[in-house]
Amino acid sequence: MSSSFEQSHVEFRHRPTYAEVCLNSLRSNLRAIQAFVGDAKVMAVIKANGYGHGFEQVAKTLEAAGVHSFGVAYIEEAIELRKLGITHPILVFGGLLKEQLDLYIENDVQVTASSVTKMEQIEEAAARLGRRAKVQLKIDTGLERIGVHYYTAPTLFDAALKSQHCEVVGVYSHFADVRREDLSTTKLQLERFLESLRYFEERATAPFLRHIAASGGLMALPESQLDMVRPGLSLYGVYPSAGLDSLLKLNPVLSLKSQVVYFKVVQKGAGVSYGHTWVAPEDTRVVTIPLGYGDGYLRRLSGNSEVLIRGQRSPIVGAICMDQLMVNVGQGVAYNGDEVVLFGQQGTEQITVEEVARASGLSPYEILVTLNQRIPRVFVGN
Ligand SMILES: *Cc1c(COP(=O)(O)O)cnc(C)c1O
C-alpha cells in the first residue's frame, strides 16, 4: 500500500486540491463502534466509493481490521469488491432485477429478497445454476422503500422456508428517521420488526442475523443493535444528526485541502463571480482556490461555507464556479501556495462536514459522496 501512497503524492503535486483520507481514523472508528455495540457484528457500509473516501483502501483497511462483512447498494459495487480480492461476506441492499441474479450467485454475493416474487426468482436462478444463493430478507417497517411490509412478512418468510436452493443468512429492516430528541418512529419500527420476526424465529431451522440499525440507530437506540449493525457514515467519523457525539467518540477520516492560487484586492462595490451575487462592501482581499462544483464541491455551499487559511476562518464569497471558488480573507494575509482547509483541521481551528451540512441545508452524506474522482485521494495512517 505504500506505493499507492507515493503515487497519490505524485498526483497531488499535479493538483493542489486533494482529499486526505486517514486510515488510522477509519480503524479507530471501527474499534469505537465495535466496542460500543459489544457482541453485535459490524457490517461496514461502503457504498458510493466508501462514502467518497476511496473504495479499495476503505474495503481493504476494514477487512484487515476485522470487520464482519460489507454492505453496498448495487451488485456492480459488490463485484468490484470481489475483483479487489475482498473475501468477506457482501450484502447488496438495493432492489434487483432477475437478470442480475446470476451475477450475485456467481460472485457469492448476498441477495436482498424483498418480496415473494423476488424470492421465487432467486430460488429459480440458484436451481438453474446448481448453486446455493445466500439471501437476506428485507422487511419494510415504515420506510416504504423496498421490502415486504411487516404486516405481510409471513408470506415472504413462507417462501423462504419453502426454498431448496437458498440459505437465509439474515433478516433486516431500515429506519426512516433517527433523531435523538424524538425516537418514537424509530421505536415503533423496531417493535414492528421484532414482532414480525417472531413468525420466522419459530420456524427457521438454521441461525440467521437480525439487523436494523445504521449509524443513527446504533447510537441513539442501543436496543436496536440486535445481532448486527450497519454503520456507514459513522465509520467515516461523521455523525448523521445532532446530539449523538456525546455517545460515541469518532474521528473524521477525510480532510479536504487545497492551496491559494491567486490573490487580488477587490474594490468596494465590485461584484465577485458569476451573477455578482456577492458585492464587496469595502476594498477586500480575495483569494482563488482551485476547487469547484465540477469536483463535487457544490454550488449550494456558496455563502454557507468557510475555509481555513493561516489558521483563520474565511468565508467563501460569490457563486462557486465549476473549477474555482473565491474566499474573502478580509484584511488578513494570504499568499499563493498557502494551504487551504475546506474540511479538517488547521492549527487550532477545525471545519467539520456536519457544520457545513447544517449551514447549507445539505446532508453530511451528500457532501461526502458528491466529492468526485477529480479530487485525488491521498491515504495516510497506514
Ligand atoms: C446506506 C445504508 C446504511 C448505512 O447508513 P448510515 O446512516 O450511513 O450508517 C445501512 N443500511 C442500509 C440499508 C443502507 O442503505
Side-chain angles (χ1 to χ4, degrees):
M1 273 201 237
S2 74
S3 70
S4 76
F5 174 71
E6 280 153 24
Q7 213 178 358
S8 301
H9 260 90
V10 172
E11 281 172 38
F12 114 72
R13 285 276 149 249
H14 290 293
R15 178 103 212 258
T17 302
Y18 65 101
E20 190 178 278
V21 176
C22 179
L23 300 174
N24 267 338
S25 296
L26 182 66
R27 280 187 282 265
S28 78
N29 292 336
L30 173 64
R31 275 197 303 275
I33 293 167
Q34 185 68 73
F36 190 75
V37 303
D39 290 336
K41 296 177 169 29
V42 176
M43 168 181 280
V45 179
I46 59 171
K47 60 198 180 190
N49 192 30
Y51 286 46
H53 290 65
F55 207 41
E56 175 172 5
Q57 298 277 359
V58 165
K60 288 184 174 169
T61 301
L62 292 173
E63 188 171 62
V67 79
H68 171 265
S69 51
F70 292 105
V72 294
Y74 305 137
I75 180 63
E76 292 78 6
E77 294 176 317
I79 292 170
E80 197 180 331
L81 288 180
R82 288 286 181 247
K83 285 189 180 143
L84 291 170
I86 296 295
T87 56
H88 274 34
I90 305 171
L91 168 65
V92 172
F93 299 137
L96 62 91
L97 295 171
K98 63 177 188 298
E99 294 74 23
Q100 299 172 307
L101 279 168
D102 290 14
L103 289 174
Y104 280 83
I105 297 167
E106 285 160 5
N107 288 282
D108 189 24
V109 173
Q110 298 175 10
V111 195
T112 292
S114 53
S115 72
V116 172
T117 309
K118 306 274 185 197
M119 187 69 220
E120 288 165 357
Q121 290 168 347
I122 300 164
E123 175 71 5
E124 189 192 296
R128 178 167 42 75
L129 294 175
R131 306 262 295 261
R132 278 181 85 69
K134 292 180 182 146
V135 304
Q136 299 226 26
L137 311 178
K138 183 73 189 283
I139 313 301
D140 183 353
T141 54
L143 187 60
E144 300 294 350
R145 200 164 68 178
I146 65 167
V148 66
H149 283 122
Y150 63 96
Y151 43 85
T152 54
T155 59
L156 180 58
F157 290 139
D158 283 338
L161 290 162
K162 238 180 24 201
S163 135
Q164 303 290 304
H165 303 277
C166 295
E167 177 188 343
V168 178
V169 183
V171 180
Y172 76 106
S173 188
H174 195 52
F175 289 129
D177 186 18
V178 182
R179 276 170 305 138
R180 206 176 165 204
E181 63 277 13
D182 179 9
L183 286 170
S184 51
T185 318
T186 313
K187 285 180 175 162
L188 180 63
Q189 282 194 260
L190 178 59
E191 259 170 52
R192 287 169 174 173
F193 184 52
L194 293 175
E195 171 67 30
S196 68
L197 270 170
R198 221 164 285 153
Y199 183 91
F200 194 61
E201 284 163 345
E202 284 162 9
R203 292 165 178 80
T205 51
F208 62 95
L209 297 166
R210 306 161 309 151
H211 49 111
I212 188 167
S215 298
L218 78 89
M219 285 188 252
L221 190 65
E223 68 209 72
S224 71
Q225 293 166 2
L226 305 181
D227 302 327
M228 185 159 81
V229 294
R230 305 188 306 265
L233 196 66
S234 53
L235 273 175
Y236 309 101
V238 179
Y239 297 88
S241 56
L244 298 172
D245 48 344
S246 57
L247 301 171
L248 183 55
K249 174 82 185 82
L250 303 169
N251 298 309
V253 174
L254 182 140
S255 303
L256 182 61
K257 298 183 178 176
S258 188
Q259 286 176 295
V260 171
V261 294
Y262 206 89
F263 174 94
K264 68 169 34 145
V265 176
V266 175
Q267 285 185 338
K268 179 178 175 176
V272 168
S273 193
Y274 295 122
H276 285 177
T277 53
W278 185 82
V279 175
E282 59 192 329
D283 287 3
T284 306
R285 298 173 180 186
V286 170
V287 295
T288 300
I289 316 301
L291 169 72
Y293 64 79
D295 302 294
Y297 195 84
L298 298 171
R299 215 171 153 112
R300 176 81 170 265
L301 302 173
S302 312
N304 295 308
S305 290
E306 293 177 321
V307 307
L308 301 175
I309 301 174
R310 296 190 167 239
Q312 302 286 325
R313 284 174 173 264
S314 298
I316 294 172
V317 288
I320 292 169
C321 308
M322 191 185 292
D323 324 295
Q324 306 183 66
L325 59 84
M326 275 65 87
V327 171
N328 173 5
V329 295
Q331 300 308 313
V333 183
Y335 289 94
N336 277 277
D338 277 358
E339 183 192 66
V340 179
V341 171
L342 297 108
F343 300 128
Q345 214 161 354
Q346 192 184 58
T348 55
E349 279 284 355
Q350 188 186 19
I351 293 181
T352 63
V353 172
E354 291 94 323
E355 164 195 335
V356 176
R358 266 194 306 277
S360 62
L362 291 164
S363 79
Y365 297 87
E366 282 174 276
I367 290 176
L368 284 173
V369 303
T370 311
L371 300 176
N372 65 34
Q373 301 299 345
R374 226 178 164 202
I375 302 174
R377 270 58 173 179
V378 176
F379 297 95
V380 299
N382 255 317

